[in-house]
Amino acid sequence: MTTREKFKFILRQEIIYLPLSLLVALASYLNHDIQAAGRVFLYAALFFQLVILIIGWDVIMKKNDQSK
């Protein structure tokens, strides 16, 4: 797996999980508390970053293929 493919994998994960964080923050904002919505977004985004790191650990740590 090349560095470019690794980057694409991580970018796809970010594209999937960032809108989920925004949806969670929006749900919190519907309670009319902007500060809580900001905190919830931050915590959800950090949680999803941890999920991405765990899911992609093998991909990230795999050595690059130079056969191409």
Side-chain angles (χ1 to χ4, degrees), residues 28-51:
S28 176
Y29 178 68
L30 292 176
N31 290 331
H32 303 289
D33 190 0
I34 189 72
Q35 289 179 343
R39 281 193 307 272
V40 167
F41 173 72
L42 177 65
Y43 294 143
L46 288 174
F47 171 75
F48 286 130
Q49 290 299 316
L50 183 63
V51 168

Side-chain angles (χ1 to χ4, degrees), residues 9-67:
F9 174 80
I10 297 299
L11 188 61
R12 272 182 275 157
Q13 297 297 317
E14 293 288 342
I15 290 170
I16 291 169
Y17 287 117
L18 186 60
L20 290 176
S21 297
L22 287 172
L23 286 174
V24 170
L26 181 62
S28 176
Y29 178 68
L30 292 176
N31 290 331
H32 303 289
D33 190 0
I34 189 72
Q35 289 179 343
R39 281 193 307 272
V40 167
F41 173 72
L42 177 65
Y43 294 143
L46 288 174
F47 171 75
F48 286 130
Q49 290 299 316
L50 183 63
V51 168
I52 291 168
L53 181 63
I54 291 169
I55 290 172
W57 187 257
D58 291 338
V59 173
I60 294 168
M61 298 307 288
K62 191 181 290 186
K63 291 196 177 206
N64 291 344
D65 284 342
Q66 300 298 332
S67 60

